[in-house]
Amino acid sequence: MPEGHSIRHYATVHSNAFVGTELEITSPQGRFAEEASKLNGRKMTETSAHGKHLFLHFDEDIVHIHLGLYGFFTGRKSSSAKEPGKNTRMRIRNEMFTSDLTGPTRCELIDNAGRQDKISKLGPDPIHNDAQSENAWVKIHKSSKPIGQLLMDQSIIAGIGNVYRAELLFISSYSPYTPGKEVPRHVFDGLWADASRLLITGSKDGKIRTVADNHLTDAEVRLHGHAHNSYVYKRAGNPCRVCGELVRAVDMAGRTLYWCSSCQK
DNA sequence: TGAGTATGTTCAG
DNA sequence: TGAACCTACTCAT
């Protein structure tokens, strides 16, 4: 589920497993083979994340990864790691841990200037304690595009995807169709605070969890930890957890937006 | 077995 | 705005 929370999660996992140790780096699929051979045998020095972009640092060389729609990492103890599949773009391995990367939109070797360039095109990331929410507010406050579209724009706020977009707007009881310039400051502040809280919670175990316990059904409570619960995301045609009205799915700028027209005025 | 779908980005027109 | 990219999974045939 590659929204900002998973990227932060992967940054932490790779930092804990690999930083400071000598690594075996390969590209079983071959599409990262040249770069992998340059990194093979070296030490990872740090990891960082901004929005949906992950950076694995090897001194001046940095692996920039964007998972896109399908990309994911599989992590295992090296003692129990299987042979990599033919689609494994990159395998990172030391004595203790093995991480396989599959299906990323981007996996490339860049330098620090390249990393700065990527980050400069992104808005503030609510998962960072020192993020400047003011920069996002200024852009939203000037825009006539609907807030549902603006929240997904990575150059305004980095890290929010379709799931968090739908859930954040539901939690705020706000209509996704309100133009950005008509969104009051206190609503924006609430959205930002919730985004920050939910992204940080989600990054701890790499899962999106947005529904308060008192809004879960008994069956879902029994499945807690296994079920993928949401208020509105992918719940089109089902009754809203709060008011009972049917959740809607509509197209907004090419992406499916889920919302409750009764709760979100 | 094949079609359809998905948490995203980029580029051509 | 639509297509392309990339992979895994579900569902219908």
Side-chain angles (χ1 to χ4, degrees):
Chain A
M1 298 188 183
E3 294 193 25
H5 70 297
S6 4
I7 307 310
R8 163 56 74 90
H9 177 72
Y10 288 138
T12 306
V13 167
H14 284 78
S15 175
N16 292 341
F18 296 135
V19 164
T21 69
E22 225 165 75
L23 300 171
E24 185 186 318
I25 299 179
T26 54
S27 178
Q29 181 200 43
R31 288 183 55 184
F32 191 65
E34 203 175 306
E35 296 89 338
S37 68
K38 190 175 174 188
L39 299 171
N40 191 32
R42 291 170 60 183
K43 287 182 181 174
M44 192 181 289
T45 46
E46 66 173 309
T47 68
S48 58
H50 194 105
K52 300 171 187 170
H53 297 252
L54 174 65
F55 303 95
L56 306 177
H57 302 239
F58 295 78
D59 294 313
E60 73 281 8
D61 290 316
I62 301 171
V63 182
H64 167 234
I65 295 162
H66 194 294
L67 294 176
L69 195 50
Y70 327 105
F72 62 93
F73 282 100
T74 312
R76 281 203 180 79
K77 285 181 186 171
S78 288
S79 54
S80 60
K82 300 175 192 163
E83 283 300 302
K86 65 179 191 307
N87 293 323
T88 304
R89 182 76 57 89
M90 175 174 66
R91 165 168 276 203
I92 308 175
R93 180 185 174 95
N94 64 13
E95 230 172 89
M96 297 298 292
F97 199 75
T98 297
S99 170
D100 287 339
L101 169 65
T102 309
T105 285
R106 280 262 185 284
C107 176
E108 60 187 350
L109 204 52
I110 60 175
D111 58 15
N112 198 45
R115 176 174 175 275
Q116 288 307 325
D117 185 53
K118 305 274 177 206
I119 293 176
S120 72
K121 291 177 180 144
L122 300 169
D125 179 349
I127 214 167
H128 293 173
N129 290 330
D130 57 350
Q132 301 291 310
S133 63
E134 196 65 25
N135 296 345
W137 163 250
V138 168
K139 287 180 186 163
I140 286 174
H141 192 55
K142 276 199 293 201
S143 177
S144 53
K145 287 183 184 168
I147 184 68
Q149 195 177 329
L150 295 171
L151 284 181
M152 294 265 285
D153 185 335
Q154 300 301 299
S155 69
I156 296 178
I157 301 179
I160 293 176
N162 206 8
V163 182
Y164 279 118
R165 179 260 297 259
E167 297 292 285
L168 284 167
L169 284 167
F170 179 85
I171 291 167
S172 73
S173 307
Y174 216 68
S175 164
Y177 291 101
T178 312
K181 59 185 174 191
E182 289 175 22
V183 173
R185 181 67 199 235
H186 73 272
V187 171
F188 168 79
D189 286 340
L191 285 168
W192 181 272
D194 286 336
S196 178
R197 177 175 60 84
L198 292 173
L199 282 165
I200 289 170
T201 308
S203 72
K204 301 243 159 88
D205 57 2
K207 285 178 188 153
I208 296 176
R209 219 170 262 153
T210 58
V211 183
D213 286 348
N214 62 321
H215 288 149
L216 292 169
T217 64
D218 291 345
E220 286 169 340
V221 170
R222 285 196 294 277
L223 287 168
H224 200 64
H226 303 284
H228 296 285
N229 298 318
S230 63
Y231 279 111
V232 287
Y233 178 73
K234 277 227 171 158
R235 292 194 69 244
N238 290 299
C240 170
R241 292 179 187 278
V242 175
C243 75
E245 181 91 4
L246 296 186
V247 173
R248 300 185 185 194
V250 296
D251 183 283
M252 182 179 273
R255 304 296 301 277
T256 306
L257 165 73
Y258 300 87
W259 71 299
C260 171
S261 60
S262 165
C263 288
Q264 298 175 248
K265 297 293 189 195

